[in-house]
């Protein structure tokens, strides 16, 4: 499983001549690669905004290609979806034009094999018809992953590893990036560890089937379930054989592996039937998850160790969807004793930003995770409050907290669950305080309440703690920054029972660290609590993206056991909470 230079197009892509942007040049980067589509807008050397399509239209993992290409056999349905796509593009174009510009000096397409054109039934949907640019450049999938990871890090030079479920560049690639502009393609390893890992999802009775039969939601859930299991050596060896050789013969001793491979979208009905009839419950399922996670970690360590050993003095950046596996990320730090950086958006939702950063080549780190849109209907807040209070006969209490966060602190100390939507949205799948649901960790049952009555998701899924950066080593066996919930260190034994709602069953926690400069609101709240730990999870419900509108915030408030919401500096509390 060696890394070899097998994709010459990557080398060519790294050496293409890029323009020197002036302060007045607008640029746009587009990534529609199969799921989690996004665009990124820049001016000069500044990133202005990143728009993830799923947030813009409230459809999880949305991407034009993923929504259409798997329904070609149904022409009427397909044409309906194309019409919807035109509407999305039109709304997106109008949004960008109102805020920034109608025409760009430079444009970037990530994965030109996929992105510029969707054609069927003599219909052509061209992004260029809606977003005009004088010059277009093309950036390969894994080059965009690499640029997104490196240019958000603080490193001047780094080994960059990109690993995902697979693309036109394969699943695993290695690069050297330098702030002076030099980039080197080291090689690729064609082993689809990430994709094969995700295919195990339907095996587990405790994991809900996704709403479209898509495997994207499985990896995070498998990782959470693994904490409840025990690694079985023989099963782990069988899984490693599957991950490396795609051989499922040994797995027949443990379960029916027919669901695993080959995988395609037309297996949706089969997956449903399999999950209903053959999925594995309870401890047997947990043990499979634990053995899978361990096998996944070991094959990656074995594969990447030669690369790590070749560049012992370089720090490491990791991009691609597999970088969302926090157990694996933590292992990189512990196994190789390296400085490891993972961006907030390592999966395909970060490709558009990666393409833009490849074009901009910033000399200083781009370290602002809050570059998503403001709430899309924020100007309607007053109207919504008036309508809701009239409809529900003053069911809400409205409090201005601009200069006084004490009401929020009092609610937290009463174990209330608060939805927060302030400022611009975070990029990536993890809420970092601006589109979060938060509560204090004083109530040991609060995790189960949120899973069952707010998020409506599986019972076993853990929540992240957020702490001040200077206090991370007080609660966790961890000295480093973990700004984007990318690592899962052990919780110190003396704190396990005291912060129980954010401690996973295996004694770890997906910690988020913050400074006052990064998020002053959260930082100030933590300073008024003892212990200074908040539970932080994304402001959404199961199968929906993180909220992007005031309307959706009110919907979650009314339809769940959420106690209050904060919209900018307005605290809205259900009267029964007062």
């Amino acid at each position: 499983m060696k890394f070899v230079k097998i994709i010459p197009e990557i080398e060519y892509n790294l050496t293409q001549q890029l323009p020197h942007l002036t302060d007045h040049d607008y640029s746009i980067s587009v990534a529609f690669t199969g799921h989690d589509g996004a665009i990124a807008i820049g001016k000069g050397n500044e990133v202005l905004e990143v728009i993830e399509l799923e947030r813009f239209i409230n459809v999880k993992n949305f991407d034009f290609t993923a929504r259409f290409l798997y329904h070609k056999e149904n022409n009427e349905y397909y044409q309906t979806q194309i019409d919807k796509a035109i509407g999305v593009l039109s709304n997106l174009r109008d949004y960008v034009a109102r805020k920034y510009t109608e025409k760009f000096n430079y444009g970037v397409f990530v994965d030109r094999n996929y992105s510029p054109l969707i054609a069927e039934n003599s219909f052509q949907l061209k992004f260029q018809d809606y977003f005009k640019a004088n010059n277009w450049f093309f950036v390969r999938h894994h080059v965009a992953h690499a640029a997104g990871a490196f240019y958000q890090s603080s490193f001047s030079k780094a080994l960059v590893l990109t690993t995902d479920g697979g693309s036109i560049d394969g699943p695993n690639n290695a690069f050297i990036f330098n702030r002076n502009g030099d980039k080197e393609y080291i090689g690729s390893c064609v082993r689809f560890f990430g994709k094969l890992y995700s295919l195990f999802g339907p095996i587990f009775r405790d994991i809900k089937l996704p709403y479209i039969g898509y495997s994207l939601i499985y990896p995070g859930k498998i990782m959470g379930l693994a904490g409840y299991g025990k690694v079985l050596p023989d099963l782990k060896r069988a899984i490693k054989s599957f991950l490396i050789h795609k051989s499922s013969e040994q797995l027949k001793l443990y379960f029916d592996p027919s669901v695993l491979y080959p995988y395609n979208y037309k297996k949706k009905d089969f997956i449903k039937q399999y999950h209903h009839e053959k999925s594995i419950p309870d401890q047997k399922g947990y043990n499979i998850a634990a053995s899978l996670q361990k096998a996944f970690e070991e094959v990656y360590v074995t594969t990447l160790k030669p690369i790590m050993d070749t560049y012992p003095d370089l720090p490491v950046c990791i991009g691609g969807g597999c970088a969302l596996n926090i157990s694996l990320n933590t292992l990189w730090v512990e196994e190789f004793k390296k400085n490891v950086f993972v961006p907030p958006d390592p999966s395909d939702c970060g490709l558009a930003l990666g393409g833009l950063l490849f074009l901009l080549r910033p000399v200083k780190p781009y370290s602002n995770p809050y570059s998503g849109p403001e709430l899309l209907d924020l100007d309607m807040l007053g109207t919504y409050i008036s309508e809701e209070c009239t409809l529900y006969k003053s069911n809400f209490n409205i409090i201005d907290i601009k200069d006084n966060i004490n009401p929020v602190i009092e609610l937290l100390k009463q174990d209330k669950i608060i939805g927060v939507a302030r400022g611009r949205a975070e990029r990536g799948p993890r809420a970092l305080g601006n589109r979060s649901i938060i509560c204090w960790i004083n109530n040991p049952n609060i995790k189960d309440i949120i899973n069952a009555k707010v998020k409506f998701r599986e019972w076993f899924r853990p929540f992240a703690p957020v702490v001040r950066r200077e206090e991370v080593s007080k609660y966790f066996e961890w000295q480093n920054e973990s700004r984007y919930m990318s690592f899962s260190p052990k919780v110190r034994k003396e704190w396990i029972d005291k912060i129980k709602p954010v401690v996973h069953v295996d004694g770890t926690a997906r910690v988020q660290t913050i400074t006052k400069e990064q998020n002053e609101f959260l930082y100030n709240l933590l300073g008024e609590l003892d212990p200074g730990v908040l539970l932080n999870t994304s402001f959404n419900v199961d199968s929906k993206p993180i909220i992007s509108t005031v309307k959706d915030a009110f919907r979650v408030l009314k339809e769940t056991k959420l106690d209050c919401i904060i919209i900018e500096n307005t605290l809205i509390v259900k009267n029964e909470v007062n």
Side-chain angles (χ1 to χ4, degrees), residues 260-277:
L260 294 177
Y261 199 82
Y263 179 83
N264 60 61
Y265 289 82
K266 294 183 179 180
K267 288 182 70 173
K268 179 180 177 181
D269 292 337
F270 174 75
I271 288 172
K272 284 184 177 180
Q273 182 179 359
Y274 181 103
H275 188 266
H276 178 70
E277 297 176 356

Side-chain angles (χ1 to χ4, degrees), residues 286-415:
Y286 311 157
N287 293 343
I288 293 175
S291 302
L292 171 61
Q293 176 63 33
K294 191 64 175 176
F296 180 72
E297 293 171 3
E298 289 184 2
V299 295
Y300 260 116
V301 168
T302 301
T303 302
L304 294 176
K305 189 176 188 305
I307 292 282
M308 296 283 198
D309 291 345
T310 303
Y311 302 94
D313 299 326
L314 287 182
V316 178
C317 298
I318 305 176
C322 292
L324 293 173
N325 192 302
I326 58 174
S327 299
L328 181 61
N329 295 342
T330 308
L331 185 63
W332 296 141
V333 176
E334 296 172 348
E335 179 79 14
F336 297 108
K337 310 300 181 187
K338 282 181 173 287
N339 195 352
V340 176
F341 174 80
V342 181
D345 50 356
S347 63
D348 281 14
C349 69
L351 285 174
L353 176 63
L356 183 63
L357 292 175
F358 183 85
L359 178 70
L360 301 183
R361 310 181 298 285
V363 176
K364 295 181 179 180
Y366 178 67
S367 58
N368 176 23
Y370 306 107
S371 53
E374 297 90 353
L375 289 165
L376 298 175
D377 59 349
L378 185 57
D379 59 331
M380 296 292 291
L381 175 59
T383 301
Y384 288 138
I385 291 175
S386 177
E387 290 178 351
E388 296 295 341
C389 288
T390 300
L391 183 63
Y392 288 91
K393 298 181 180 179
S394 300
N395 198 41
F396 302 112
N397 189 25
I398 314 300
I399 304 169
D400 185 352
I401 59 167
K402 182 178 181 180
D403 300 313
N404 180 18
I405 62 171
N406 287 332
V408 182
I409 295 165
E410 290 305 310
L411 289 167
L412 290 170
K413 289 181 177 179
Q414 296 170 29
D415 298 327

Side-chain angles (χ1 to χ4, degrees), residues 58-59 64 90-91 118 125 135 147 179 193 213 224 264 342-343 384 402 414 481 502 524 531 558 577:
N58 200 30
V59 176
F64 295 117
S90 298
N91 292 338
I118 301 171
L125 175 59
N135 301 279
R179 291 275 171 189
F193 304 139
N264 60 61
V342 181
Y384 288 138
K402 182 178 181 180
Q414 296 170 29
E481 184 178 56
V502 292
N524 289 341
K558 292 183 297 180
V577 172

